[in-house]
Amino acid sequence: MQTGLTSRRADCPLCGTALERDEDSVRDLWNCGSCGLSIELSQPRAPAPDLAPARKDPLRDEPDEDQLDRWLSGKPIERKAPPLSRRLQRWAQENWGAVTCFLIAILGVSAFASHALQNSVVAARQLADERQSHAVTRRLAEERDEKLRLLVDSAQIKARALGKQLDQARLEARRDLSLRLADEATRIEQAAPQRSLMLAAESVQIARDSQQFPAAGAVQVLFDQLRDQAQLQPSGHRDVVRSVAFSPDGLMWASGGDDNRAILHAMDARRNPIPLEAHWSRVSQVKFSPDSRRLATASFDATICLWDVRSNEVAQSPVVLTGHDERVLSIEFSADSRWLLSSAQAAPGSPSEILLWDLHAKGRPQVTQTLGQHFGRVHAAQLSPDGRWAFTSSADGFVQLWRLNPKSGDRLVVAMRAKHGLTDLVRFSPDSTQLVTLSEDKGQCVIRRWTLDEMIHPEAVATLPTAPLSADVDFARSSIAIGGQQGEVKVLNWKSGSVTPVVGHESRIQLLRFLPDGALASVDQQGLVRRTILAGKNEVALGVKLPQIVGSIEAVEISADGQWVAVTNEKREVLIRQLDPTILMEVAFDRLQSLSGEVEVIAAQPQEDRR
């Protein structure tokens, strides 16, 4: 570079470093030790005019030309940093290899990214295709599984139907076998008693295993062949027996009669009866307390005796309750065995005496409340299980519902008094929230159901053309059984309104009792005992004539568990025997095993027309 300088000392126009003269050069050269710029000094001369348009040096910019002109003209140079673009260009020129590698790297990365993006797009398309294929496969599998499930369900339904048909066929076959064995046992009863007993016991066993009711013929054979199981014996009374009762625990039973005595019997025949003699007139009723610890006897001598049946000297320690002035007709315990409700016959012109006794009072039982306002013989007097209610009725046609508060001794409250006709039967529900009464009105039976709450609401359920001689209520099944004079028995369901007749009796019904298993036990005056299971409108009944009953029946009672029946006749005899055919069957097998060792039943083929 040649230029004119007016001063021999100058600075580099590019970096500002002091220039040094090149002594070895023949020309007047000045060199920059920092940036390597060489400047040749010459005489200043006027520049030739430049007719061509000015071109801009791509490596320079206007600020650098200005600084060079200033230096050439001898003016001070402003020290400025080169612009960024200039420095980048210079760096690129000096480091073109690195820039080239950088560009190549960028191109490689771009190519790799493009290839990766292309692969990802392909993979995404493949994944979408696989998902679609999987969805189709899954749908087809679900359709196939649904078809298989339908086929399996159909097969299971058919299998269950076939199983039910097979079970029904088996039950029918076993029922048929049971009937055939019963017919054969009846046919050979006189010729081969032991074989007949064996067949009858097997018939009952088959019916029991099949959960069916045993054939009546087989049970009758058991009754006839096991006569010694019936404890037919003199009752110990010297006159007619008027009342019989079983203890709730099933260990004892008691009887009371016109000979002024009550007799306590043990279910175990090896224990001797215990006569209870404390009355000087007829014993009208005997009743055990719910806890089976006491026996109460009511008498026409206007007294009530309490006997401690757990004592070894039961006959020597009666507690005599003297509060009535007339004949005591009925007694009733509360569910907790603490309270006793007794009723006596009304004297002419005076109200009937109905007393509530506290049996746990200090010293001795005491009368806590007196119920009156009846002018006639008391036909029913009943306590609710919780001891809060008492219902009474008499021959005057009026019924009364009493709200009691025996613990505090407050005044009685007559909750309701109405004329409902002659009411003989009263039953409270176990939870003391309902009450069912049966009244006779002009030869018809009027059934009412009471709701016991703050508002007493008696509801007439039905009216039947039957005089109610005996009845019972099953609150769990909403059923009422009614027995009449000609042996008719009807079971009414007050929810559905259906009336189911129970046929088979031909004489006066003495007793009706719903048993714990839901069956209905009925006994007529001729000694026919029926055990009926009601299933809708169809009944399954078993009727057995009690053996060795001569004369009319005076008193009948069935134990709380429904396994024993007690019957007394006009000849002062009493019959105690099992009522459950399964117990008779077990007794028969025990009897046969004791006679011949191991029991083996061989049933002869009965005739087809005897079934």
Side-chain angles (χ1 to χ4, degrees):
M1 179 183 290
Q2 296 181 0
T3 184
L5 295 176
T6 59
S7 176
R8 292 296 179 181
R9 180 173 181 84
D11 296 331
C12 180
L14 294 180
C15 61
T17 306
L19 297 176
E20 294 180 0
R21 188 176 184 280
D22 187 2
E23 298 296 339
D24 298 329
S25 176
V26 293
R27 292 180 298 175
D28 191 7
L29 293 179
W30 294 77
N31 299 325
C32 179
S34 296
C35 60
L37 179 65
S38 296
I39 299 175
E40 180 180 0
L41 298 180
S42 63
Q43 293 296 326
R45 57 183 175 180
D50 191 4
L51 299 179
R55 292 183 299 177
K56 188 175 181 179
D57 190 354
L59 299 179
R60 291 186 179 183
D61 52 6
E62 290 299 328
D64 291 340
E65 291 293 335
D66 292 342
Q67 294 293 334
L68 180 59
D69 292 341
R70 290 175 65 88
W71 182 80
L72 294 176
S73 62
K75 295 181 180 179
I77 299 176
E78 297 178 357
R79 297 181 178 273
K80 294 183 179 180
L84 179 61
S85 59
R86 178 70 174 267
R87 285 182 288 175
L88 290 176
Q89 290 177 359
R90 185 179 299 163
W91 181 87
Q93 291 176 355
E94 295 176 355
N95 300 281
W96 62 270
V99 172
T100 303
C101 293
F102 177 72
L103 293 176
I104 294 174
I106 290 178
L107 292 176
V109 171
S110 300
F112 179 78
S114 176
H115 181 71
L117 180 62
Q118 184 178 3
N119 290 339
S120 64
V121 171
V122 173
R125 290 179 179 177
Q126 293 178 353
L127 181 60
D129 294 340
E130 290 179 358
R131 287 181 177 177
Q132 184 177 4
S133 176
H134 178 70
V136 173
T137 305
R138 183 177 180 180
R139 185 175 67 255
L140 294 176
E142 290 177 352
E143 294 177 355
R144 184 178 64 255
D145 293 344
E146 181 67 17
K147 292 180 180 179
L148 291 177
R149 188 182 64 81
L150 293 177
L151 292 176
V152 172
D153 292 344
S154 177
Q156 289 179 350
I157 293 174
K158 292 180 179 180
R160 284 195 294 267
L162 292 176
K164 290 182 179 179
Q165 294 179 2
L166 181 60
D167 294 341
Q168 185 65 27
R170 289 176 178 173
L171 290 176
E172 292 295 335
R174 295 184 69 83
R175 178 63 177 172
D176 182 76
L177 177 60
S178 177
L179 293 175
R180 289 173 179 271
L181 292 177
D183 290 344
E184 184 67 12
T186 303
R187 186 178 67 85
I188 65 174
E189 181 178 3
Q190 301 298 328
Q194 291 189 7
R195 186 181 183 86
S196 174
L197 180 62
M198 183 182 299
L199 295 178
E202 184 67 16
S203 175
V204 174
Q205 179 67 43
I206 292 175
R208 180 186 181 187
D209 294 341
S210 303
Q211 297 181 353
Q212 297 178 347
F213 213 69
V219 179
Q220 186 65 59
V221 170
L222 294 180
F223 268 82
D224 294 340
Q225 295 298 325
L226 300 176
R227 293 178 183 271
D228 55 339
Q229 289 299 116
Q231 302 175 12
L232 181 63
Q233 58 188 2
S235 62
H237 291 277
R238 295 184 292 271
D239 208 336
V240 178
V241 180
R242 298 292 181 181
S243 179
V244 181
F246 285 98
S247 63
D249 58 8
L251 300 178
M252 297 168 287
W253 64 279
S255 59
D258 292 351
D259 58 353
N260 308 338
R261 294 195 309 166
I263 300 179
L264 181 64
H265 306 263
M267 296 301 294
D268 187 359
R270 292 173 294 181
R271 297 178 59 182
N272 295 325
I274 302 175
L276 307 176
E277 299 177 350
H279 297 286
W280 52 265
S281 185
R282 174 190 300 179
V283 176
S284 58
Q285 190 176 17
V286 294
K287 186 161 290 188
F288 284 92
S289 61
D291 58 5
S292 301
R293 300 182 64 89
R294 292 182 177 181
L295 173 68
T297 58
S299 175
F300 279 17
D301 62 3
T303 63
I304 302 171
C305 288
L306 298 176
W307 310 84
D308 185 3
V309 296
R310 301 289 180 89
S311 174
N312 294 329
E313 298 179 356
V314 56
Q316 307 299 326
S317 59
V319 177
V320 182
L321 307 182
T322 58
H324 290 284
D325 296 330
E326 296 294 334
R327 301 173 178 178
V328 181
L329 301 179
S330 66
I331 48 179
E332 182 71 27
F333 282 96
S334 63
D336 58 0
S337 303
R338 176 176 180 178
W339 311 98
L340 179 70
L341 186 68
S342 61
S343 62
Q345 185 176 2
S350 61
S352 299
E353 297 174 337
I354 304 174
L355 304 180
L356 183 65
W357 303 80
D358 184 1
L359 304 183
H360 293 177
K362 295 182 179 180
R364 57 180 289 110
Q366 298 178 0
V367 177
T368 60
Q369 293 177 348
T370 302
L371 288 68
Q373 301 183 11
H374 278 303
F375 292 88
R377 177 175 178 178
V378 176
H379 279 252
Q382 188 83 16
L383 271 176
S384 64
D386 61 0
R388 294 182 58 248
W389 302 91
F391 186 93
T392 60
S393 67
S394 72
D396 59 7
F398 281 90
V399 298
Q400 295 182 135
L401 182 64
W402 305 80
R403 183 180 287 111
L404 305 178
N405 193 358
K407 294 183 179 181
S408 63
D410 293 345
R411 182 175 62 86
L412 289 174
V413 177
V414 180
M416 186 171 185
R417 175 180 171 84
K419 191 170 185 179
H420 283 168
L422 188 59
T423 303
D424 287 326
L425 178 78
V426 181
R427 291 289 187 273
F428 281 93
S429 62
D431 58 0
S432 302
T433 60
Q434 297 183 66
L435 171 68
V436 172
T437 60
L438 277 73
S439 304
E440 182 180 358
D441 187 10
K442 298 179 181 180
Q444 293 184 334
C445 176
V446 181
I447 304 172
R448 294 182 177 88
R449 187 165 64 96
W450 306 56
T451 301
L452 303 181
D453 205 345
E454 294 300 328
M455 297 297 294
I456 308 301
H457 178 62
E459 173 190 1
V461 176
T463 300
L464 302 179
T466 302
L469 300 180
S470 180
D472 196 18
V473 181
D474 186 357
F475 286 94
R477 297 172 177 83
S478 305
S479 299
I480 304 173
I482 304 171
Q485 181 69 34
Q486 303 299 325
E488 64 273 19
V489 177
K490 298 179 180 179
V491 179
L492 168 68
N493 187 287
W494 66 68
K495 287 187 176 181
S496 63
S498 61
V499 179
T500 304
V502 179
V503 298
H505 293 285
E506 297 180 356
S507 61
R508 174 190 176 100
I509 301 299
Q510 292 288 109
L511 178 68
L512 289 175
R513 181 69 53 81
F514 282 104
L515 303 180
D517 59 358
L520 175 65
S522 55
V523 185
D524 62 20
Q525 199 170 13
Q526 295 181 356
L528 177 63
V529 180
R530 291 181 64 85
R531 184 184 178 96
T532 306
I533 296 179
L534 302 173
K537 296 183 179 180
N538 300 322
E539 65 175 44
V540 180
L542 169 65
V544 178
K545 181 68 169 63
L546 292 176
Q548 301 176 350
I549 294 294
V550 180
S552 62
I553 294 177
E554 293 293 335
V556 181
E557 185 62 28
I558 295 177
S559 62
D561 56 7
Q563 295 185 2
W564 295 88
V565 58
V567 181
T568 64
N569 59 10
E570 60 186 7
K571 293 188 176 183
R572 304 186 299 276
E573 294 177 331
V574 60
L575 173 68
I576 304 291
R577 75 163 307 149
Q578 291 99 343
L579 184 61
D580 192 344
T582 58
I583 296 180
L584 294 174
M585 177 266 300
E586 294 174 358
V587 172
F589 277 126
D590 293 341
R591 175 72 56 81
L592 293 171
Q593 188 173 4
S594 64
L595 293 177
S596 57
E598 184 178 358
V599 179
E600 182 178 356
V601 177
I602 302 176
Q605 180 69 26
Q607 299 178 4
E608 292 292 335
D609 58 352
R610 293 189 58 83
R611 192 170 60 166

